[in-house]
Amino acid sequence: MRENGKMKNDYKVKTENITVDYGEKRALHGINLNISSNEVTSLIGPSGCGKSTFIRCINRMNDLIDGCKVNGKILIDNEDINNQNMDVVELRAKVGMVFQKPNPFPKSIFDNVAYGPRIHGTVKNKEELENMVRKSLKRAGLWNEVHDRLDASGLSLSGGQQQRLCIARAIAVNPDILLMDEPCSALDPIATAVIEELINELKERYTIMIVTHSMQQAARLSQKTAYFHLGEMIEFGDTSSIFTNPKHEMTEAYISGKIG
Amino acid sequence: MSIINIYMIIIMLLSISSYFYGRNFIKNKTSTSTEKQHSKDTYHGAFISLYLILPSIIFLSLWIVISPNIIDELLTIKIIYIFGQLGIDELKILKSQVIALSNGVLIAGNLSEEVNYISDYYLYIQTVSKKIYIILSCLGSAAAFLYARKKITIRFNARFNVEVIVKSIMILASLIAILTTVGIILSLVVETIRFFEIINIADFLFGLKWSPQIALRADQVANEGLFGAVPLFAGTLMITVIAMVVAVPIGLMTAVYLSEYASNTLRSIAKPALEILAGIPTVVYGFFAALTVAPFLRDKGADIGLTLSSESALAAGLVMGIMIIPLISSLSDDVINAVPQSLREGSAALGSTKSETVKKVILPAALPGIVSAILLAVSRAIGETMIVVMAAGVAANLTANPFESVTAVTVQIVVLLVGDQEFDSAKTLAAFALGFTLFIITLGLNILSIYIIRKYREQYD
Ligand SMILES: Nc1ncnc2c1ncn2[C@@H]1O[C@H](COP(=O)(O)OP(=O)(O)OP(=O)(O)O)[C@@H](O)[C@H]1O
Ligand SMILES: [Mg+2]
């Protein structure tokens, strides 16, 4: 599944003409975006332009919102995820997500991370589960802060710690694709560096989409960048070329800080 | 219309007009001055209007409390003056004759000269007392009005003063509620203590036989075992347990279904429907239980070889459970809806099914609220009377068999108090003892549920 050397047009995620409506209001107007494996793709754009809406299409999270309608074709590993036969639960196990606002469960830190492995039965015994939890917390850079209070409530953590807990929770399921909606917006520079390092490491195995408001972060982390504006994708391409040589004037204006 | 009513209407009108008076008064003052006015015109108006009406209202409440006592005292003195010393009973009868006569309930011709005379006297002192009240409150209100008018100056902080008055009015209102509650509890406690002077407390709490009727005969008062409350509490307990067994699972699953699975259209139909269920008077449930459910159960029981009496704990419990379903489902629905959507999304994004999310995230997060909803429902079931009277019976059987007829605490309170009886008899006092015990139990449950809510409230915010 994850072998390298795919042909150039064999994308991990393909989206064709995606439109999203919240009731009467159209939030996305026909997005076409293809994402390759083992790459980090960052989505940038001013607030309210539809970045969250777009990545929430990839794991069909918008199904949960009353009155939200997604049209268009989304293929993951060449499989249409809006197909009737698609098992949404399996899809979401494969496409992990870290939300814009940290949302730990009102359970212990341990149980938060163990939640995914437990429901999917990916671990055989208690020891494996504990290893899994430890490994995930370490990779999310939270282990040192919480290893002596795994029984404390996840809600007793600070905002930034909660966000890293949510990252640990997501990677404990071992997804193929990881969607991250502004994962560092609540973090200090040190924790941000830990997460960026994690993302760099994860991209060896995962395909990552990250929404960010920080140009530097997008430039540092991602191979591809997409610029959204008012529900349209204005420009998409290699991060280096977008940042040094944007083709569209709106992109240039945004990157140089004139809009947004 | 009584003269007091007329007076109150006049005072209110005066108070309203003094509001406008106060507003204009301060306007005029400010217009001729260079100083900056402290409070807005409306506060000056409100200030003077409140000052005008308050003395009348305070005197009115005092008058309502005090004047009947004084009038009664005067009446007693007059009766004794005319008839000489009388026994308590004779005095009572004379008094009620006098009062009935002055209210026009009795006709003067049938009664003696003296009674007619005292009745006139009674009317006279009543009129005098009203006049005294009106004169006093006129004076009070006028004085307060003048005082307030004098206080109003440009720099006067009317805003703060109005705040103080409004605050005191609200304190007074809440005091009334609290004092009433305290009064009820005190009377319960006092009568309960009197009951335990007649009946041993251990016999009441642990006695296995309840038959208060026999105790009516003087020679058998305090006959041991007659006021054993165990059968009543056992009956209440059994019916409550049956009701909860019905109501908790159904109510909870309804709530989960409505808040997590149902479409908007279905929800908009089902929720009002459940509320209708909650609005049915309990007496209707009662005859539904007695006339439909109980016979149905008896017949079906007979088919499979069970003997059910025509009044049974089962019938009462089942119907009471149905009655309580909306209570549990709507309270639980509220707490389930209060669980943030982000938790549902978080759980779904990890690849869990809806039922896994409900079981592992939503119910645990909503648990404190659900538990307290259940405790409230238990209080409700314990206090319910109608259904039990009609469907479970009044016979105080001590039995663990839900197919037999049992009785409940509330039902026995009703039974004890209907019909004529001496207020001091053990039978009547027993009602207070039962009521008090019931009160303690429901109070305990309510405190427990408040405690649970408090303890887990801060969970998500
Ligand atoms: N649940 C919703 N119901 C209705 N409209 C919504 C909903 N969520 C988003 N929208 C609308 O869709 C548009 C895109 O929102 P979205 O959250 O995708 O923006 P965003 O790019 O993620 O912004 P931000 O950077 O502030 O997170 C906005 O105009 C928003 O008002
Ligand atoms: Mg967003």
Side-chain angles (χ1 to χ4, degrees), chain A residues 49-68:
Chain A
C49 66
K51 308 178 294 290
S52 301
T53 303
F54 178 74
I55 66 166
R56 288 167 60 94
C57 294
I58 312 294
N59 64 346
R60 286 183 54 180
M61 216 56 201
N62 287 327
D63 291 10
L64 265 61
I65 296 178
D66 280 337
C68 180

Side-chain angles (χ1 to χ4, degrees), chain A residues 56 61 103 107 115 120 155, chain B residues 342 345 347 350-351 360 459:
Chain A
R56 288 167 60 94
M61 216 56 201
N103 56 350
K107 297 172 177 293
Y115 188 86
H120 296 299
L155 293 161
Chain B
S342 66
E345 296 194 340
S347 173
L350 291 169
K360 299 197 160 193
Q459 282 228 308

Side-chain angles (χ1 to χ4, degrees), chain A residues 47-53 56 100 181-182 211 213:
Chain A
S47 192
C49 66
K51 308 178 294 290
S52 301
T53 303
R56 288 167 60 94
Q100 188 163 351
D181 197 347
E182 297 181 37
V211 174
H213 279 292

